[in-house]
Amino acid sequence: MRILFIVLTIIVLFALNLFIGTVHIPAAEVVGALTGGEVSKASWEYIIVGARLPGAVTALLCGASLAASGLMLQTSFRNPLAGPSILGITNGASLGVALVMLAMGGVVGTNVLGADIEMAGVVAVIFAAFVGSLLVMAVLLLFGNLVHSNTMLLIVGIMFGYLTGSVISLLNVFASVDNVFAYVVWGMGSFSSVSLEQLPWFTVCSLVGLTLSVLLVKPLNALLLGDQYARNLGFNIRKTRTLLLLATGLLTAVATAFCGPVAFLGLATPHVARMVVGTENHKLLLPATILSGAAIALLCNLLCILPEGVVLPLNAVTPMIGAPVILYVVLCRRKA
């Protein structure tokens, strides 16, 4: 019943993302554009089909991807504060994107993902983000086997995030002022950077990662009780962690490459899902997390729109929802 409520919420928020925007368009015109009917203005049809629809689908998939990634990390490291951004995985993906952007003629910013470039450029950005996130995950797994402490592992992730951020800052020193500004804008995050032509690629990559995460439900449940318990049940821990690495790296890389380093969605959404379904069983928790991530991302996309055509950066909105959730979780654990 609670899952059904989340699904209905997603449907409502998705519709609102199509009908509400910086430009006022009558509801009848929106319906006409989506159903292939006549639209009074060609610009309205472009806004609805070419901008709002891809933005809504991107928000839905990006939120689901980051939420699933956050849940897998929290389960794998048995740390409620684990997440793509906290553990430095997002920073690693950002570093890979920055390297490719600078290597491609010094072009830094959202234009790298624009519709006016070859698809090879988009693939290069996604691949670089994937490699960057995988490298950070590999380092975290290595330190996890050495320190055997969730707190120390969290510190390692934070320090690695600072390190990658420092390298990105050094790369920006050698870029032009325009490129530095463009990269800063890209770093603020946006669900509107995926064009209608790029949407199938983004959708396929996201669905592959989400499908892989769903296939890992049983190993995730086993890891909740510890590595030794999972081994006793017949699970190959090294293989399981490798698959978790690939799934998390793919989901984070695709979301970061196309939408920028979106903050808090991966960290806070699993806790929201836990409060909704009231269980740690991943057979129910993982679908609830994926759906909750999609709903929260669609809500954030709506909150970015202000009157008079003003659009807020995505990362100015996500902490308003994510930070209170994390503070609530910390206070609840302290009382417990």
Side-chain angles (χ1 to χ4, degrees):
M1 188 67 183
R2 294 177 180 180
I3 296 293
L4 179 60
F5 174 76
I6 301 175
V7 172
L8 293 176
T9 301
I10 291 174
I11 294 174
V12 172
L13 289 172
F14 191 88
L16 290 175
N17 272 266
L18 297 177
F19 284 91
I20 299 176
T22 54
V23 178
H24 174 69
I25 302 177
E29 299 287 348
V30 175
V31 174
L34 294 174
T35 56
E38 294 185 0
V39 182
S40 302
K41 297 181 180 180
S43 60
W44 285 357
E45 183 175 6
Y46 173 78
I47 290 172
I48 298 166
V49 180
R52 291 185 185 178
L53 180 60
V57 175
T58 300
L60 188 149
L61 291 174
C62 182
S65 299
L66 292 176
S69 177
L71 177 61
M72 288 189 290
L73 288 172
Q74 290 173 11
T75 301
S76 178
F77 292 110
R78 294 192 293 277
N79 192 321
L81 295 180
S85 56
I86 296 296
L87 288 175
I89 300 172
T90 300
N91 298 75
S94 298
L95 176 60
V97 172
L99 286 170
V100 170
M101 286 178 174
L102 290 171
M104 294 171 62
V107 180
V108 180
T110 53
N111 287 336
V112 173
L113 296 178
D116 57 339
I117 67 169
E118 297 180 359
M119 185 56 65
V122 178
V123 174
V125 170
I126 297 174
F127 180 76
F130 184 49
V131 172
S133 63
L134 282 181
L135 288 176
V136 176
M137 282 291 294
V139 171
L140 291 175
L141 290 175
L142 175 62
F143 273 91
N145 292 327
L146 295 176
V147 299
H148 300 289
S149 170
N150 289 334
T151 302
M152 292 300 296
L153 191 61
L154 184 63
I155 295 174
V156 170
I158 293 174
M159 292 302 103
F160 205 88
Y162 279 120
L163 179 61
T164 54
S166 176
V167 175
I168 292 173
S169 297
L170 290 175
L171 290 174
N172 283 330
V173 169
F174 299 99
S176 65
V177 175
D178 292 339
N179 287 341
V180 171
F181 175 77
Y183 187 82
V184 170
V185 172
W186 174 82
M188 292 179 180
S190 174
F191 292 137
S192 61
S193 56
V194 180
S195 67
L196 192 61
E197 293 76 14
Q198 297 163 4
L199 189 60
W201 293 90
F202 177 75
T203 302
V204 169
C205 292
S206 298
L207 290 180
V208 168
L210 290 172
T211 301
L212 184 56
S213 68
V214 172
L215 294 176
L216 293 171
V217 164
K218 289 185 178 180
L220 285 170
N221 276 335
L223 288 175
L224 283 175
L225 300 176
D227 292 352
Q228 188 60 44
Y229 181 82
R231 288 192 186 94
N232 293 337
L233 290 177
F235 291 103
N236 187 321
I237 299 299
R238 179 170 295 182
K239 181 180 179 181
T240 299
R241 292 195 182 279
T242 301
L243 291 175
L244 284 171
L245 170 69
L246 291 173
T248 305
L250 177 61
L251 291 171
T252 304
V254 172
T256 303
F258 280 98
C259 306
V262 182
F264 276 102
L265 282 182
L267 177 62
T269 304
H271 297 294
V272 174
R274 289 186 182 97
M275 289 185 283
V276 172
V277 298
T279 180
E280 289 287 344
N281 186 346
H282 285 73
K283 290 183 179 180
L284 183 60
L285 180 58
L286 181 60
T289 301
I290 291 174
L291 294 174
S292 298
I296 293 174
L298 288 169
L299 176 61
C300 290
N301 200 36
L302 276 177
L303 295 177
C304 287
I305 302 171
L306 295 180
E308 299 181 2
V310 179
V311 179
L312 293 174
L314 183 60
N315 282 333
V317 174
T318 52
M320 297 179 185
I321 297 176
V325 172
I326 299 305
L327 291 175
Y328 176 78
V329 171
V330 171
L331 291 175
C332 288
R333 289 180 65 86
R334 180 177 178 273
K335 290 179 181 180

